[in-house]
Amino acid sequence: MEFQAVVMAAGRGSRMTDLTASIPKPLLPIGNRPMIWYPVNMLETAGFQEVIIIALESTSHDIRQALTALCDVKVSLDIVGIPDDADWGTADSLRHIKDKIQTDILVVSCDLVCNVPLHQLADIYRMHNSTLTMLLADLPQTTDSAAILKSKKIGNEQRDFIGLDGDGRRVVIMASEADLDDALTVRRSVLKRHPCVRIKTKLQDAHLFLLKKWVVDYLQQNRPVSTIKGELVPLLVRKQFSRRKKPADVSKAGDLSMVSPPSTKEDNLDIHSFDEDDEMTVLTRSLSSGAGQRVDSTQDSTITCYTHIVTEGMCVRANTLPSYVEANKQILHELAGGDELLVHPSITTKGKYQIGPECMVGEGVSLGDKVTLKKSIIGKHCTIGDRVKITNSVIMNHVTIKDGSILQGCVVCDNAHMGDQCELKDSLVGSSPNIPSKAKYSNEVIVNEEQMLEV
């Protein structure tokens, strides 16, 4: 077994709280399947036989039930629960399962909807014997279907400044816009070894990483590192251009403050002491045709960080409300014209209806007369009244929409009830509200009929 797969599913969906208030983030439906099914299915397709899932204790049972009973996942699932009240980052979660990690690891977030073959990432990892290989993708171009609630308050995401070498595969700079003051500072050691650096600001981290096992050992010793993307990845990128400390350097670490910023406790822990090559790697390198030559110019560092950038296929992180809608849209586009049945055979109809080619209708749905559905997903056991028109929307399970209502660019959560002739545009309806007849809302979050939060 070359890699162990770890799915991070303990996030609470802090950037989409109106959706996750009543539905745990890993179980949010995308294309009428729970969100977490997509990374697990990707791993199963790639040949993994076992997957470790890190989830909140309160959701562990429901995740297992959703994947095994509802989605018929065949891989063995090792679901590790963490306390609901624990404020842990992704690196903290890796520490929690350290004893389970025996090989290099593949870490992926539960909100990644992606059909990129994993061997493309693994080939780069093997070719360069890299410490870290990460998946990057273009920022999603939100379309009309993802325009829901796209205001300044929700729509402005912080960019990443990602520096790539001349070949476009080596990651030499990784910085978040939120962590910068007025300018991006590039270290001299970076430019000395990579005179040509391309700074990308329209790429997003897909939260899919291949990592050496020793990185988990390092995290166990370096407790201040709490997150993978925000702290560990930038640290590994920086350390590519630092030298391995000599014993004298470590013992005299306090003297370094005279020529550099004061050292912290974590700085004194030499990351290079963890990245020793195993005997097989040393032997392979000595017997290779390139023996005696370095693949790169990192000099004293054996830490290397590479990337695979998605150029075709689907790759969306459903971690905000607009990106959640976009993920549903792309799934519909991906499945349209394929072999999968998008309209469940158990639906009942009252009269004539129109269902567009990029629509999905779930089990047990009842459609009234002259219903029109375009580019929308209807969940299980929904009741849609006469003359209802739904466009570019996601309707979850057990929703009732009465006669004559019109929805455009909306997300409607479980058990919502709408009266006759309602008109909703670019709005989110939370779980279980009762919307009165003839109500009209645009660009609003509707929690219940007494409480609306305009955005």
Side-chain angles (χ1 to χ4, degrees):
M1 181 173 58
E2 184 179 8
F3 301 106
Q4 288 177 268
V6 180
V7 178
M8 294 292 180
R12 294 168 174 80
S14 59
R15 288 190 283 181
M16 50 200 308
T17 54
D18 294 302
L19 280 177
T20 57
S22 58
I23 305 173
K25 179 183 175 181
L27 299 178
L28 282 172
I30 297 177
N32 282 345
R33 288 190 174 103
M35 177 188 290
I36 194 173
W37 177 83
Y38 290 93
V40 172
N41 179 67
M42 177 177 63
L43 294 167
E44 185 173 358
T45 302
F48 284 89
Q49 297 180 349
E50 181 178 356
V51 176
I52 301 172
I53 298 176
I54 303 177
L56 297 176
E57 291 176 346
S58 60
T59 64
S60 297
H61 173 76
D62 291 339
I63 288 174
R64 183 180 297 278
Q65 182 73 9
L67 290 174
T68 56
L70 301 180
C71 297
D72 196 27
V73 167
K74 301 301 184 184
V75 294
S76 174
L77 301 176
D78 182 4
I79 301 181
V80 180
I82 65 173
D84 284 39
D85 58 355
D87 186 20
W88 288 1
T90 47
D92 299 318
S93 296
L94 273 184
R95 277 191 207 95
H96 185 62
I97 62 166
K98 177 184 177 297
D99 293 340
K100 293 179 177 288
I101 303 303
Q102 305 299 322
T103 68
D104 295 348
I105 58 174
L106 185 155
V107 181
V108 60
S109 174
C110 74
D111 58 25
L112 180 62
V113 181
C114 179
N115 62 0
V116 176
L118 290 180
H119 73 80
Q120 296 179 356
L121 202 70
D123 288 347
I124 295 173
Y125 183 83
R126 299 183 188 110
M127 181 187 304
H128 300 282
N129 190 31
S130 59
T131 307
L132 160 72
T133 303
M134 59 192 298
L135 186 66
L136 297 175
D138 290 331
L139 288 170
Q141 299 295 319
T142 53
T143 59
D144 291 340
S145 65
I148 176 173
L149 303 176
K150 191 181 176 185
S151 66
K152 292 182 179 179
K153 187 177 295 184
I154 294 178
N156 286 347
E157 296 294 326
Q158 295 289 344
R159 297 176 298 171
D160 286 324
F161 289 81
I162 302 172
L164 304 178
D165 69 353
D167 294 332
R169 286 191 172 184
R170 180 79 178 270
V171 182
V172 298
I173 297 171
M174 185 77 181
S176 172
E177 186 176 19
D179 297 330
L180 301 177
D181 295 326
D182 297 324
L184 174 66
T185 302
V186 180
R187 297 165 63 185
R188 183 180 301 174
S189 58
V190 175
L191 294 177
K192 182 178 179 181
R193 297 165 191 174
H194 298 278
C196 176
V197 177
R198 303 173 183 177
I199 304 295
K200 303 288 187 178
T201 60
K202 294 184 179 180
L203 292 175
Q204 69 168 348
D205 159 49
H207 263 53
L208 196 160
F209 311 99
L210 291 176
L211 289 163
K212 292 289 189 187
K213 177 186 180 297
W214 68 256
V215 176
V216 181
D217 299 331
Y218 171 74
L219 287 175
Q220 182 67 17
Q221 299 296 322
N222 194 356
R223 295 278 175 175
V225 176
S226 180
T227 63
I228 296 176
K229 192 266 180 178
E231 297 172 82
L232 178 62
V233 171
L235 174 66
L236 291 174
V237 171
R238 290 196 309 271
K239 291 299 183 179
Q240 294 178 104
F241 308 103
S242 65
R243 297 184 177 184
R244 184 184 301 272
K245 291 181 180 179
K246 299 177 182 179
D249 295 332
V250 177
S251 63
K252 298 179 181 179
D255 296 337
L256 295 177
S257 59
M258 299 178 62
V259 293
S260 63
S263 298
T264 64
K265 183 178 180 180
E266 59 204 86
D267 290 330
N268 291 336
L269 182 64
D270 184 13
I271 191 172
H272 294 285
S273 65
F274 291 83
D275 70 343
E276 298 288 349
D277 289 331
D278 56 44
E279 294 181 4
M280 183 60 68
T281 301
V282 173
L283 178 61
T284 301
R285 185 178 295 134
S286 67
L287 296 176
S288 69
S289 59
Q293 301 178 13
R294 299 196 63 90
V295 175
D296 49 59
S297 54
T298 50
Q299 294 182 359
D300 300 293
S301 176
T302 58
I303 298 174
T304 55
C305 302
Y306 283 84
T307 183
H308 173 64
I309 301 176
V310 178
T311 55
E312 59 182 19
M314 177 177 56
C315 187
V316 183
R317 283 200 66 204
N319 61 341
T320 65
L321 181 54
S323 64
Y324 171 77
V325 177
E326 181 67 16
N328 277 279
K329 171 188 175 296
Q330 291 201 25
I331 283 293
L332 281 179
H333 182 74
E334 185 75 15
L335 296 178
D339 297 331
E340 185 168 344
L341 191 64
L342 298 186
V343 178
H344 199 278
S346 66
I347 71 168
T348 59
T349 59
K350 182 178 178 182
K352 295 181 179 180
Y353 61 90
Q354 181 180 354
I355 300 178
E358 291 192 10
C359 283
M360 179 177 288
V361 183
E363 176 186 356
V365 170
S366 174
L367 298 179
D369 188 30
K370 297 181 180 179
V371 168
T372 301
L373 305 178
K374 295 181 180 180
K375 296 183 178 180
S376 295
I377 296 176
I378 311 298
K380 297 178 180 179
H381 305 293
C382 294
T383 301
I384 311 298
D386 297 343
R387 303 178 307 282
V388 170
K389 297 180 179 180
I390 303 175
T391 305
N392 288 333
S393 296
V394 178
I395 313 298
M396 297 188 191
N397 301 326
H398 302 282
V399 172
T400 298
I401 303 175
K402 292 291 188 177
D403 299 348
S405 294
I406 300 174
L407 285 77
Q408 180 178 345
C410 294
V411 175
V412 181
C413 296
D414 292 347
N415 303 305
H417 186 282
M418 298 185 195
D420 298 327
Q421 301 179 44
C422 293
E423 295 184 20
L424 280 73
K425 181 178 180 181
D426 297 336
S427 294
L428 168 66
V429 180
S431 294
S432 304
N434 290 310
I435 298 178
S437 297
K438 299 183 179 180
K440 295 183 179 182
Y441 301 118
S442 178
N443 204 42
E444 293 188 22
V445 175
I446 305 167
V447 180
N448 54 51
E449 58 182 300
E450 290 87 19
Q451 181 183 5
M452 272 82 72
L453 173 64
E454 184 175 351
V455 297

